[in-house]
Amino acid sequence: MSDSTAVSDAARAVARSPITKVVGFLICVELASGVLQGYYTPIFTDIARHLSIKDADVNWFEAAQLIVSALVVPLLARLGDLIGHRKVLLLSTVVTALASWGVEFAPSFGLFLVAWAIQGFYVVWLPMEVAIIHRRTGGSERRVRGAAGLLVAGLELGVIAGALTSGALAESLGMTALLALPAVVVTLALVAIWFGVEESPVLAHGTVDWRGFWLVTLALALVMGGLVMVRVVGPGSPWPWLLVVAGGAALVPFARVELAHPEPLVDLRILGARGQWPVQATAFLFGVSVLGAQIPLSTFARTDPAVTGYGLGASAGKVSIIIGGYVLSLAVGALLLHLLAHRTGTRVAMVVAALLVAVGYLLFLPFHASLAQTMTNMVIAGLGSGALVAGLPTAAAAQAPPTHTGLTTGMTNTTKTIGGAFASSVFAIALASTGSVDSEATAHASLSGYLTVWAICGVTALVAALFLAVVRDTGRREPTPAPA
């Protein structure tokens, strides 16, 4: 039997498998992912007091987790294709659960930081889930798109539930008990995967390209390390930029090794294919706003206009309302993607989503003087962002060979993370006078710094819409819908 026949038989077999139950259990996993992303935000100050560190040192949490996330996803994504997406989902959840319990019991800042960074393994969950659903539906983009929307809606509801829960319990529970709740939730997600998600046939063959892994790890570590150092030592130091340049240079031998390898870790030919590269480029550009812009928005909202002439002078409670409205719009956007794409196709729907992100952030340039204006802008951007969170891995899987769905869906998260890291560093430079780079500074940033942040978010979203507009169907036909 030929490989192509085996792939077709496996695809038909999983297409006949019911997925309703599987999607339900995977939504439980995404709820846990949302809890991890939303639970800690309201209690960062309490965590700093618990660890006896400065508030500014909390920035290391984000930096460490971004680095780990960028490094582990390429390997885990390829392993998903080689050994099974469920196995990788299960493995990454075990690691995340152990790290979450480590966060609870860590006796020092150093150990806490290590455990916190390892929690970053959860970023591979959504790509693996999309790959599982893609495989079990035989590649039905319509069904994958709908399921992805439900998963992202579950993710965002988890963010809201996590933030509300920690905020409500912060004053009544001790820190040990407070930090135990996310660990319990992730452990329950592990149970959901174990009993509720079956493994799909493995279609890819081969071994892990370890030489490629170490080369891409070196390149990403240098680039991400340099971007983190920009925020630590400032843009005036040459060391961060030397690290970034060295990381870029390390990609040259990596590319040569991967192009020559018969079974590369990261298949550059697939990622560079006509239907695939615009999706990956969009993920990078989307990371600028979805990962890079949230802290500037929070600091802008908290800025007192009586002192600076701009800002909302919002309390922490009002900032929570803004964040809550934005996150809720993400969930709605993820669900609306399926409805819009059913009429226009996934490509056109994602172009519309990118344009909504662009409009939302560009509206900040003339309209940023009131809470109503800020909420309107964020809801518009949130609708587009939610659709892109659900649509990017779906589009990547649809434009990939069946043997590389894990790789392509996983790489959308890696490129998004790198884009967010770039944006965080650039925005820190734009807002340097706030102390985004210098933790000891106390002056407020100029309004022009915030306008620069919003303009960059809007323009990158416009460029993403342009990239998405050139995506073309690779010719794979939509399979006949299977019964759920």
Side-chain angles (χ1 to χ4, degrees):
M1 180 182 295
S2 67
D3 288 344
S4 60
T5 302
V7 169
S8 299
D9 290 345
R12 283 193 292 269
V14 295
R16 291 192 293 267
S17 302
I19 65 165
T20 303
K21 182 187 76 170
V22 173
V23 172
F25 279 104
L26 292 179
I27 289 174
C28 295
V29 179
E30 282 307 302
L31 283 169
S33 176
V35 168
L36 287 179
Q37 296 177 55
Y39 186 87
Y40 299 103
T41 302
I43 59 172
F44 273 142
T45 299
D46 303 279
I47 292 173
R49 301 294 175 269
H50 173 67
L51 297 173
S52 300
I53 60 174
K54 299 178 181 178
D55 288 346
D57 290 334
V58 173
N59 290 323
W60 283 106
F61 297 164
E62 178 193 24
Q65 202 166 91
L66 279 175
I67 291 174
V68 170
S69 299
L71 294 180
V72 302
V73 170
L75 176 62
L76 293 178
R78 184 56 182 151
L79 278 176
D81 292 327
L82 293 175
I83 68 174
H85 302 122
R86 175 186 178 271
K87 288 186 178 68
V88 169
L89 180 60
L90 198 61
L91 171 65
S92 61
T93 307
V94 169
V95 174
T96 304
L98 292 174
S100 299
W101 288 109
V103 164
E104 180 195 5
F105 293 111
S108 66
F109 173 56
L111 291 175
F112 187 99
L113 186 62
V114 170
W116 183 275
I118 295 175
Q119 267 191 326
F121 272 63
Y122 78 84
V123 298
V124 82
W125 290 354
L126 182 60
M128 289 300 99
E129 291 159 4
V130 171
I132 288 170
I133 295 169
H134 186 273
R135 187 67 52 81
R136 293 181 66 86
T137 58
S140 170
E141 186 175 354
R142 177 185 63 84
R143 302 183 75 195
V144 175
R145 189 176 58 230
L150 293 174
L151 293 177
V152 174
L155 163 67
E156 304 307 340
L157 291 177
V159 172
I160 295 173
L164 292 176
T165 300
S166 65
L169 297 177
E171 295 183 1
S172 59
L173 290 181
M175 185 55 62
T176 300
L178 195 62
L179 293 177
L181 291 179
V184 171
V185 171
V186 177
T187 304
L188 292 175
L190 179 62
V191 176
I193 298 168
W194 184 268
F195 290 103
V197 182
E198 299 175 0
E199 186 63 83
S200 299
V202 177
L203 305 183
H205 305 284
T207 58
V208 175
D209 169 21
W210 289 109
R211 187 180 179 190
F213 168 72
W214 292 117
L215 286 172
V216 74
T217 297
L218 174 64
L220 290 175
L222 289 171
V223 171
M224 298 291 288
L227 295 174
V228 169
M229 282 191 67
V230 170
R231 288 182 286 174
V232 175
V233 302
S237 171
W239 296 110
W241 308 115
L242 288 174
L243 287 177
V244 172
V245 171
L251 290 174
V252 176
F254 165 72
R256 290 176 178 172
V257 167
E258 296 302 273
L259 291 173
H261 201 286
E263 297 170 349
L265 175 75
V266 179
D267 197 320
L268 298 179
R269 291 184 177 88
I270 290 177
L271 294 182
R274 183 181 181 184
Q276 190 67 231
W277 73 260
V279 177
Q280 301 297 335
T282 296
F284 175 86
L285 294 167
F286 177 50
V288 170
S289 59
V290 77
L291 297 179
Q294 305 317 307
I295 291 177
L297 282 166
S298 177
T299 58
F300 176 84
R302 296 297 300 271
T303 301
D304 187 353
V307 176
T308 62
Y310 71 87
L312 303 181
S315 63
K318 284 188 177 180
V319 172
S320 297
I321 293 174
I322 297 173
I323 294 174
Y326 172 67
V327 172
L328 187 60
S329 68
L330 284 168
V332 174
L335 295 174
L336 290 179
L337 170 71
H338 181 59
L339 298 178
L340 179 59
H342 182 68
R343 295 179 177 274
T344 66
T346 301
R347 177 172 63 90
V348 175
M350 290 177 64
V351 170
V352 173
L355 290 175
L356 283 174
V357 176
V359 169
Y361 280 103
L362 292 177
L363 279 175
F364 271 108
L365 301 182
F367 304 115
H368 52 259
S370 68
L371 178 61
Q373 291 176 352
T374 299
M375 284 292 297
T376 299
N377 300 344
M378 290 309 301
V379 167
I380 293 173
L383 290 172
S385 296
L388 287 177
V389 171
L392 283 168
T394 302
Q399 299 291 332
T403 54
H404 286 74
T405 52
L407 168 69
T408 54
T409 56
M411 287 305 295
T412 60
N413 256 21
T414 295
T415 52
K416 182 172 68 177
T417 299
I418 296 173
F422 268 102
S424 294
S425 297
V426 172
F427 295 166
I429 295 171
L431 304 174
S433 60
T434 65
S436 295
V437 172
D438 180 2
S439 62
E440 301 301 323
T442 57
H444 294 283
S446 65
L447 177 59
S448 63
Y450 286 104
L451 295 177
T452 299
V453 169
W454 298 326
I456 291 174
C457 290
V459 170
T460 51
L462 285 176
V463 176
L466 178 62
F467 283 157
L468 287 170
V470 306
V471 175
R472 293 293 182 268
D473 192 351
T474 56
R476 294 165 57 197
R477 299 184 64 183
E478 183 84 358
T480 301

